[in-house]
Amino acid sequence: MQRRYISLVAAGVALGTTIALTGCGNTAGSDGVNLRLVAADYGNGAENSSQKYWDELADAFEAGNPGITVDVEVHSWKDVDRKVAEMVAEGNAPDIAQIGAYADYAEQDRLYPVDELVKIPTQANFLPELSEAGQTERVQYGLPFAASTRLLFFNEELFTDAGIEPPQDWSQLRAAAERLKARGVKYPFALPLGSEESQAEAMIWMLSGGGGYRDRNGGSYEIDSERNIGTFTWLRDKLVGPGLTGPVAPGKLDRAQAFEAFTRGEVGMLSGHPTLMQRAEEKGIEVGMVPMPGVDGEARASMGVADWMMAFRQNGHRREIGRFLDFAYSDENVLEFSDRYDILPVTVSASEAMAADDEHKRLWKFLEALPTSELYPSGEVSWAKVSASVKRNIGDAVAPKGDPAAVLTRIANDAAKAESEADRR
């Protein structure tokens, strides 16, 4: 079939792997339906762009579902959320979007609930913690698409040269950073609190310090809690102040910069996810991984991240969208995507298959951390504004003359305002 390319990334090279054809069925009554899918790019160049995955998946789906075509548009993570928002604002919503957040669209009644889209076995197969995170007002609108957890990455060669072991608590982490600095390591501990994804780095450290964005029952925001203030005070005084975080101020250091420095062998330690593991190993870096240390031992929880699939009501293609999603979430297709991008599967059956297969051993530590991980409060309409406030402000908390309490209170006030606005809608 000749695919109609409408994305920013061409996909003209045939792939060596085959997307599963299982789950295809008769589509009587669906003649002439064209679905538009807008998705994020998990690749780092044309050779491994997500466009290739989606086009191959679409071709396999169309082969078993005559009368339904799927056009795919892939954008970088920097652009995809904005692109979808613009489409919706222009009255040209895609049928399916695979992006970072769904709650605003659900609150505006623009999305189909998941139970109106996919078959019961598909919905029941999502990992429970991810299904819950996909809910707004106890109704699931977000289908988890890809997941990852965070571990403490360390450069094994640098650690061996410095004669240090992986840290198990904060005092050991600081001592390791001091040894690395003494050995001339550029970034003993890379702390990216710049605007790119500082909401993630902040949450990792909040959890490490026994706190978090919300209380432990998932209730109100507790951003300026004593635990969180203590965490950022420790970072300011024990890591940043003594120069253990490198030459770039944490508030100016983005995650992409930190990751690139790690792949160059310039970073001793940082919080990392599966994709970084792959990139670092490709550059010859021996990567060690341990759970994130807490104040007095292992952190109470790791941070988990999920990206979301959602279906817009605008074009009325509920049945056809559901058929495509049932197909996309088959074990074979979920595992195929996970394999290509070192991403964790979001379904129970695919997770069990990964855990039982030695070919996936490199991801087992991340997989083990997922059931007890904590995710962003992505089901809250307020979260987008809270996240934006964290990105703007959190770097100031660890600056040499920063005031963690004042900065966290500023973010907490923004969170309260965002919640109040959401309640008034």
Side-chain angles (χ1 to χ4, degrees), residues 85-400:
E86 290 172 353
M87 292 174 190
V88 172
E90 293 167 358
N92 188 33
D95 295 286
I96 309 167
Q98 184 271 300
I99 53 177
Y102 65 87
D104 272 356
Y105 300 124
E107 193 271 341
Q108 297 165 16
D109 196 31
R110 295 182 183 275
L111 303 180
Y112 287 113
V114 173
D115 61 7
E116 292 183 12
L117 290 169
V118 298
K119 296 177 181 177
I120 292 174
T122 300
Q123 186 174 10
N125 197 28
F126 292 122
L127 291 166
E129 63 272 20
L130 300 182
S131 287
E132 184 176 348
Q135 296 177 10
T136 295
E137 301 293 334
R138 301 184 182 277
V139 177
Q140 185 179 356
Y141 292 94
L143 296 89
F145 176 72
S148 66
T149 52
R150 301 293 192 263
L151 296 173
L152 179 70
F153 281 35
F154 61 94
N155 184 311
E156 289 191 341
E157 182 178 354
L158 295 179
F159 266 55
T160 298
D161 289 347
I164 51 180
E165 297 293 326
Q168 298 180 17
D169 58 32
W170 284 5
S171 63
Q172 292 180 13
L173 187 149
R174 183 191 181 196
E178 289 173 337
R179 292 284 295 273
L180 291 165
K181 182 182 179 183
R183 301 282 295 187
V185 175
K186 188 173 183 179
Y187 295 89
F189 189 99
L191 184 66
L193 293 176
S195 61
E196 181 190 0
E197 200 177 283
S198 54
Q199 82 282 5
E201 188 73 17
M203 183 173 175
I204 291 168
W205 279 99
M206 288 176 180
L207 294 173
S208 179
Y213 282 118
R214 303 177 77 86
D215 66 38
R216 296 188 182 185
N217 296 318
S220 59
Y221 286 106
E222 290 190 342
I223 294 170
D224 56 350
S225 68
E226 289 185 11
R227 285 191 176 93
N228 290 343
I229 292 171
T231 292
F232 285 93
T233 300
W234 186 89
L235 287 171
R236 180 195 65 187
D237 296 342
K238 303 299 185 181
L239 282 188
V240 181
L244 302 178
T245 55
V248 180
K252 301 295 185 181
L253 183 66
D254 282 341
R255 185 187 68 171
Q257 294 173 277
F259 281 12
E260 285 298 321
F262 187 80
T263 66
R264 294 194 299 267
E266 298 173 352
V267 175
M269 298 175 281
L270 84 173
S271 300
H273 57 53
T275 303
L276 175 60
M277 174 184 63
Q278 179 187 42
R279 290 167 53 191
E281 290 175 348
E282 288 173 353
K283 295 294 182 68
I285 304 298
E286 295 182 28
V287 182
M289 296 173 289
V290 293
M292 184 68 185
V295 179
D296 299 313
E298 185 177 323
R300 71 175 179 88
S302 63
M303 192 194 80
V305 176
D307 302 322
W308 302 99
M309 188 86 78
M310 62 211 70
F312 286 86
R313 293 179 178 273
Q314 180 176 324
N315 300 317
H317 296 151
R318 179 182 63 82
R319 289 180 59 192
E320 293 79 12
I321 293 169
R323 193 179 295 274
F324 177 77
L325 293 174
D326 281 324
F327 175 75
Y329 281 103
S330 69
D331 283 354
E332 295 89 342
N333 293 331
V334 170
L335 287 169
E336 172 66 21
F337 189 86
S338 298
D339 282 341
R340 293 192 191 190
Y341 300 107
D342 278 337
I343 293 291
L344 300 182
V346 296
T347 63
V348 173
S349 55
S351 296
E352 290 174 346
M354 177 175 282
D357 187 346
D358 285 347
E359 290 187 8
H360 300 288
K361 192 172 184 178
R362 57 194 282 117
L363 294 175
W364 284 355
K365 285 187 178 181
F366 298 97
L367 195 63
E368 290 168 2
L370 187 57
T372 57
S373 65
E374 291 193 15
L375 283 76
Y376 299 135
S378 52
E380 300 295 332
V381 176
S382 59
W383 171 241
K385 291 185 177 179
V386 175
S387 176
S389 180
V390 174
K391 291 179 181 181
R392 286 194 306 271
N393 294 298
I394 198 63
D396 294 340
V398 300

